[in-house]
């Protein structure tokens, strides 16, 4: 943050994008594993938001948090991850409400499964390939990309989204909407 202010003289946008996935069940829970995922997925964005706020007040800037579709739907084996991403969604709404008086907007993006290396060690490759190639489960017939998520972040950070705050926007190709038989 200091380097950004030093280099650019101001802070317009904070994107809280770091995160880890842990595919565990309640039976697999350990305090150590929860502490790690909680620290990265929830505690770090809260801390970064706190230290960014004075700079964002000056620019009437905004915050984009990365949540997950797991904050809106149950996903097998994602209980700890889902808890932290639900926390990010709630944090987004409360931050939007409390920072509005300072002219700061806050929104979250909730991506579905997107082929990135985050899944390499936690999900069987066959499952991921099935999800990513099963166009029948996608309303628009294509899989979301990293660029789709980045484009939404750019939009939310822009003045084009001046009236959008406190929202958690799902990007999953309409995967969980039931198609109407034609």
């Amino acid at each position: 943050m200091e380097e950004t202010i030093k280099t650019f003289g101001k802070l317009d946008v904070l994107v809280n994008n770091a995160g880890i996935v842990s595919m565990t069940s309640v039976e697999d829970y350990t305090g150590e594993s929860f502490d790690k995922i909680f620290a990265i997925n929830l505690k770090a964005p809260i801390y970064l938001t706190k230290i960014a706020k004075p700079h964002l007040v000056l620019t009437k800037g905004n915050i984009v948090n990365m949540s997950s579709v797991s904050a809106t739907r149950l996903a097998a084996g994602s209980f700890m991850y889902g808890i932290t991403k639900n926390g990010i969604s709630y944090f987004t709404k409360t931050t939007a409400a409390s920072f509005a008086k300072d002219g700061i907007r806050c929104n979250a993006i909730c991506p579905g499964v997107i082929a990135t290396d985050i899944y390499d060690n936690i999900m069987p490759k066959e499952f991921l390939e099935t999800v990513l190639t099963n166009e029948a489960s996608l309303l628009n017939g294509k899989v979301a990309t990293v660029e789709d998520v980045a484009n939404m972040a750019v939009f939310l950070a822009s003045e084009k989204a001046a009236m959008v705050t406190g929202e958690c926007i799902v990007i999953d190709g309409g995967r969980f909407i039931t198609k109407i038989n034609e």
Side-chain angles (χ1 to χ4, degrees):
M1 187 112 18
E2 289 174 7
E3 189 63 31
T4 298
I5 302 302
K6 185 175 151 187
T7 303
F8 300 102
K10 64 181 181 168
L11 180 68
D12 294 304
V13 180
L14 170 65
V15 178
N16 285 311
N17 188 42
I20 59 171
V21 177
S22 172
M23 300 302 285
T24 56
S25 64
V26 173
E27 295 83 10
D28 298 328
Y29 168 84
T30 67
E32 182 180 317
S33 62
F34 184 78
D35 289 347
K36 180 178 179 181
I37 195 167
F38 182 83
I40 293 170
N41 289 3
L42 191 55
K43 192 174 179 181
I46 292 170
Y47 174 72
L48 289 169
T49 299
K50 177 183 175 177
I51 65 173
K53 184 183 180 190
H55 304 287
L56 293 172
V57 166
L58 298 174
T59 61
K60 305 295 185 218
N62 63 83
I63 301 161
V64 178
N65 293 319
M66 289 298 160
S67 184
S68 170
V69 72
S70 293
T72 65
R73 298 175 184 88
L74 289 176
S78 68
F79 121 88
M80 286 192 284
Y81 177 76
I83 288 170
T84 62
K85 292 306 183 173
N86 265 288
I88 286 294
S89 293
Y90 188 81
F91 173 63
T92 297
K93 292 175 183 303
T94 59
T95 300
S98 64
F99 288 15
K101 67 184 180 308
D102 298 307
I104 300 169
R105 294 182 295 110
C106 184
N107 292 289
I109 300 171
C110 302
V113 175
I114 296 174
T116 66
D117 60 1
I118 197 169
Y119 298 105
D120 287 350
N121 297 316
I122 61 161
M123 191 177 288
K125 197 166 198 75
E126 302 79 33
F127 174 78
L128 185 59
E129 287 173 4
T130 299
V131 169
L132 294 175
T133 59
N134 186 2
E135 293 181 356
S137 72
L138 303 170
L139 199 60
N140 66 358
K142 63 180 190 166
V143 175
T145 65
V146 171
E147 289 78 17
D148 292 324
V149 177
N151 289 337
M152 180 58 71
V154 169
F155 169 73
L156 290 172
S158 76
E159 285 303 311
K160 291 178 181 177
M163 293 303 295
V164 181
T165 193
E167 295 301 323
C168 299
I169 301 168
V170 173
I171 297 179
D172 71 350
R175 183 166 179 232
F176 289 96
I177 295 175
T178 303
K179 291 184 181 180
I180 299 171
N181 293 330
E182 297 177 356

